[in-house]
Amino acid sequence: MRHRRIPEETVRRLPLYLRHLLLLKDEGEKRISSKALADRLHLNPAVIRKDLSHFGDFGTPGVGYSIDTLIGRLRAILKLSRVQKAALVGAGKVGSALLNYPGFENYGFRIAAVFDNSPQKVGKQLGTVTVEDISRVHTLRNRNIKLAIIAVPSQAAEQVGRDLVKAGIGGILNFAPCHLDIPGKVKVVNIDIAMELGSLQYYI
């Protein structure tokens, strides 16, 4: 598949480009050069040009990129041209904060299902969704939901991850402070806030 041949570092930078292009559009800008974009992102312009070259021709030498066109192309590459539904497992403090995070909308994501194992939370309305019992995770296979966010304690994360795979989930954003040993070709991105803060402490 095409995305398997693209360097992972490139794929991880594409949303960064998109975010700044959206900001530029809000500021009324119409065009931007790779150097100007690189200056804003503290990157080498050659890195941006190389990243984009994996997907074809985007700009014109000496003229730069049309911001509207580049936004559209990046949305298409990242498959953000339509709303992507995601499931959230864990309706605690982290999960609730993620559910209320407005930044997902810029990337076309919508949390369409929330699961928890607490009787006090199941059935509770959170925003536009109702918390479901964790035993219903298997229903995701029939709900056209391929992305999931895990926000549960580490001791429960491994089993949750495996249940999500069985339910047809293809990508997992893991906020549990542990490594997930997930079978198959499911893409897992781990975000351990405490660990990142721990490494940051070194520089202070």
Side-chain angles (χ1 to χ4, degrees):
M1 292 177 64
R2 184 181 178 186
H3 66 275
R4 297 292 183 187
R5 299 196 298 268
I6 305 300
E8 185 170 346
E9 294 81 4
T10 291
V11 176
R12 294 179 71 87
R13 282 191 291 265
L14 295 183
L16 179 65
Y17 301 157
L18 177 58
R19 181 178 68 184
H20 279 75
L21 289 166
L22 289 169
L23 290 173
L24 287 166
K25 181 177 180 178
D26 287 342
E27 294 169 7
E29 299 292 333
K30 301 297 183 183
R31 304 193 71 88
I32 190 168
S33 66
S34 59
K35 183 181 185 307
L37 183 58
D39 288 344
R40 290 178 68 106
L41 299 174
H42 305 289
L43 293 173
N44 188 314
V47 170
I48 295 178
R49 291 194 294 270
K50 184 175 180 180
D51 284 346
L52 296 179
S53 70
H54 287 293
F55 305 96
D57 295 326
F58 286 81
T60 303
V63 178
Y65 305 106
S66 161
I67 290 175
D68 280 340
T69 299
L70 192 50
I71 287 173
R73 294 282 296 276
L74 288 174
R75 283 189 178 279
I77 291 167
L78 293 168
K79 302 178 183 178
L80 303 180
S81 299
R82 66 181 188 280
V83 175
Q84 300 281 347
K85 296 188 292 184
L88 169 66
V89 181
K93 292 181 179 178
V94 173
S96 296
L98 292 171
L99 188 63
N100 292 314
Y101 176 58
F104 289 136
E105 295 181 3
N106 286 334
Y107 296 92
F109 293 104
R110 177 172 64 88
I111 295 178
V114 181
F115 301 91
D116 204 282
N117 64 353
S118 169
Q120 287 73 38
K121 295 173 183 174
V122 173
K124 183 179 179 181
Q125 188 79 14
L126 293 179
T128 60
V129 295
T130 301
V131 180
E132 304 176 49
D133 191 274
I134 191 66
S135 63
R136 287 182 48 80
V137 162
H138 69 277
T139 64
L140 292 174
R141 183 175 293 278
N142 301 319
R143 294 158 73 172
N144 194 32
I145 297 178
K146 303 297 182 183
L147 301 172
I149 303 169
I150 294 178
V152 302
S154 57
Q155 61 268 26
E158 187 79 31
Q159 185 59 54
V160 167
R162 291 179 177 272
D163 290 342
L164 288 169
V165 173
K166 291 178 182 177
I169 292 297
I172 296 174
L173 184 62
N174 176 38
F175 280 88
C178 64
H179 172 77
L180 296 183
D181 185 16
I182 299 297
K185 297 181 179 180
V186 176
K187 177 64 177 178
V188 178
V189 175
N190 296 292
I191 299 179
D192 189 332
I193 298 173
M195 185 175 68
E196 297 298 337
L197 283 172
S199 63
L200 185 62
Q201 177 70 14
Y202 171 82
Y203 298 99
I204 297 177

